[in-house]
Amino acid sequence: MGEHDDTVNYPSLRTRAIESLLVEKGILASDAVDRVVSTYEEDIGPLNGARVVARAWSDGEYKTRLLENATGAIAELGISGMQGENMVALENTSEVHNVVVCTLCSCYPWPVLGLPPYWYKSPEYRARVVVEPRAVLEELGLELDDSQELRVWDSSADIRYMVLPERPAGTDDLSEEELTELVTRDSMIGVARAGTS
Amino acid sequence: MARAHDIGGLKGLGRVEMEQDEPVFHSEWERRVFGITMATLGKGLFNIEQFRSGVEEIPIVPYLESSYYERWIATLERNLIRAGVVSEDEIDARTTELSHRPETEVGRREEPEFCEMLLGAIHGGMSPERELDAPKGFEIGDRVVASGTEVLTHTRLPRYVRGKTGVVVRLDKAFVFPESNAAGDGENPEWCYCVRFEAEDVWGPNAENAAPVYVDVWESYLVAA
């Protein structure tokens, strides 16, 4: 889809109508709107989660803390915030593969992954991944081994989940920083493996 | 019966389409809708449950046909109107004015203190965890049945597990109860649990391609099996 320049379509007009009325009534702070938007466009995104994963791959004790108390372990790296107050990390292994969804809306761990991509919020993903997860993962390019147990996690309350993907083979010599580059957003949702684009 | 958003397990939907190199927002109005929502939530004009409930009130056909942030516009409007700060007539009239003079600039006002408070909440979090004296009703390993009662207002119990049996696998904190908070009846926190439901218990004998589903559930949604 990319970026649209669409100042005269209905949602744009409606949004500008609401914004201008709220400003005139002294209710809306324009600077707050600007700052919130730039925070999620520029500061908070999946690089945060990638740092958490790379640390867990590099430091076994950190990984243990992450799996026992994800919120605290993530905060050790200076990462916290709204929609990440109560985190649980799910470890993907050769035996178990976890995938995350919010069937009811779009709950997602903002501090580690940023705002969710469109497909994660789509009715197609939300409806289908709980009932035919292997088919959905195959469509998205992830073929699981038949022997892997698949688990689907529906973020229906106030826990926010991130997946700790399996460390790719042949990466023993990589530094933590180099490992960070292998960790994709999709691997932390559970619809891809790390080290693949 | 369920509202339009409660679509886990719904058949007939197509492929999941991923967009390569997707931007955070697809247009300027999406940026503004997101920011206005966060700023008015931050002002306490409505709460997160009321915001979600406003999305769920969209009838299913427009729900499925509208884009994600179009649904946000719908609930933002509903909630601002309910908060009494703006009327639908005012929004309609201003939309018409802007359609005739699209070059009109939206005004600006600044509130540096509120701005800092809101950014502090974004970076520091605002947990829905609450103190609760009542003992937990369930332990890990307990077999539980999810409520089968129809709820036509805001609920966080997905339809696909209603009346189904599962096992408690994780004890969570006490969180604000959404049904109560959405109705404006207070936070009334309850203990929360993660419950594992086996695929065949949820989807029946045709579930060979399914997998266990873990659903996070407030205590009053559960009874002992």
Side-chain angles (χ1 to χ4, degrees):
Chain A
M1 288 189 275
E3 171 106 9
H4 303 295
D5 178 23
D6 48 7
T7 48
V8 291
N9 68 18
Y10 183 77
S12 174
L13 291 170
R14 202 78 185 161
T15 304
R16 291 168 66 212
I18 293 168
E19 180 167 2
S20 63
L21 286 165
L22 293 180
V23 166
E24 285 165 23
K25 289 167 184 279
I27 290 164
L28 186 68
S30 313
D31 48 348
V33 177
D34 299 341
R35 290 275 301 279
V36 165
V37 168
S38 67
T39 296
Y40 286 102
E41 283 198 308
E42 292 159 25
D43 303 336
I44 300 179
L47 182 58
N48 283 350
R51 287 171 51 216
V52 172
V53 170
R55 175 65 57 88
W57 285 346
S58 309
D59 177 344
E61 290 179 12
Y62 180 80
K63 178 178 155 184
T64 302
R65 292 200 296 282
L66 180 67
L67 295 175
E68 283 176 359
N69 172 7
T71 316
I74 291 166
E76 287 179 36
L77 303 190
I79 302 165
S80 66
M82 209 176 270
Q83 294 295 313
E85 299 93 343
N86 298 283
M87 291 289 303
V88 166
L90 306 166
E91 184 184 15
N92 278 356
T93 67
S94 55
E95 285 88 44
V96 175
H97 185 91
N98 299 285
V99 62
V100 179
V101 63
C102 171
T103 63
L104 296 174
C105 51
S106 52
C107 295
Y108 192 73
W110 292 4
V112 281
L113 295 188
L115 299 182
Y118 207 90
W119 62 263
Y120 179 87
K121 305 180 286 195
S122 71
E124 288 81 4
Y125 181 72
R126 290 160 45 207
R128 292 181 54 213
V129 79
V130 284
V131 63
E132 44 177 342
R134 281 179 196 269
V136 170
L137 292 179
E138 274 177 32
E139 282 176 21
L140 297 177
L142 178 61
E143 293 234 17
L144 298 178
D145 296 336
D146 287 341
S147 62
Q148 273 184 302
E149 181 185 338
L150 178 57
R151 298 177 179 172
V152 182
W153 300 77
D154 190 350
S155 318
S156 50
D158 288 312
I159 299 297
R160 296 291 171 266
Y161 294 101
M162 73 173 286
V163 170
L164 172 59
E166 204 175 356
R167 181 172 177 161
T171 58
D172 291 355
D173 297 336
L174 297 188
S175 69
E176 192 174 318
E177 199 175 331
E178 289 167 325
L179 288 171
T180 303
E181 292 169 18
L182 300 179
V183 187
T184 60
R185 174 196 70 201
D186 293 349
S187 73
M188 295 182 281
I189 303 172
V191 298
R193 290 192 180 88
T196 57
S197 58
Chain B
M1 288 292 292
R3 288 169 149 194
H5 70 296
D6 191 1
I7 54 174
L10 188 68
K11 291 291 190 179
L13 288 161
R15 289 177 66 90
V16 180
E17 300 289 350
M18 276 187 175
E19 181 185 350
Q20 292 303 313
D21 302 317
E22 182 180 341
V24 177
F25 300 103
H26 289 88
S27 60
E28 180 59 18
W29 70 262
E30 290 192 352
R31 285 188 189 94
R32 301 314 284 179
V33 170
F34 179 76
I36 296 166
T37 298
M38 296 293 281
T40 48
L41 264 171
K43 280 277 167 82
L45 293 176
F46 47 90
N47 63 45
I48 183 78
E49 282 82 15
Q50 289 164 332
F51 185 78
R52 290 191 182 122
S53 188
V55 173
E56 298 158 13
E57 288 169 46
I58 302 170
I60 189 157
V61 172
Y63 180 96
L64 291 173
E65 287 177 345
S66 41
S67 76
Y68 181 72
Y69 283 111
E70 284 173 340
R71 298 197 283 269
W72 278 44
I73 295 178
T75 183
L76 181 62
E77 272 190 38
R78 263 178 234 270
N79 276 286
L80 291 170
I81 292 166
R82 281 180 193 156
V85 297
V86 66
S87 72
E88 188 164 7
D89 287 347
E90 283 178 300
I91 302 173
D92 287 346
R94 182 60 56 91
T95 306
T96 304
E97 278 172 46
L98 287 169
S99 72
H100 294 143
R101 282 189 295 280
E103 70 286 357
T104 309
E105 300 256 338
V106 172
R108 282 190 69 84
R109 58 182 292 281
E110 306 210 334
E111 283 184 67
E113 270 182 44
F114 170 74
C115 197
E116 291 311 313
M117 188 278 287
L118 185 62
L119 267 292
I122 283 172
H123 289 290
M126 284 178 51
S127 180
E129 179 188 3
R130 297 291 182 270
E131 293 290 318
L132 187 59
D133 291 334
K136 287 186 170 72
F138 301 102
E139 295 298 331
I140 288 174
D142 284 356
R143 286 176 60 77
V144 289
V145 181
S147 169
T149 307
E150 296 289 347
V151 179
L152 298 177
T153 50
H154 180 60
T155 178
R156 293 297 295 183
L157 181 63
R159 170 174 48 173
Y160 69 86
V161 293
R162 287 186 179 274
K164 312 293 186 186
T165 301
V167 174
V168 174
V169 296
R170 196 186 65 234
L171 308 177
D172 288 328
K173 298 167 180 171
F175 294 125
V176 172
F177 187 51
E179 292 186 16
S180 172
N181 212 30
D185 293 336
E187 295 188 333
N188 297 303
E190 292 185 12
W191 295 113
C192 235
Y193 304 87
C194 181
V195 178
R196 171 176 163 133
F197 294 90
E198 300 304 325
E200 52 273 26
D201 291 335
V202 177
W203 311 111
N206 297 323
E208 69 263 26
N209 289 315
V213 187
Y214 294 75
V215 182
D216 295 339
V217 186
W218 275 266
E219 185 161 298
S220 64
Y221 292 147
L222 298 174
V223 293

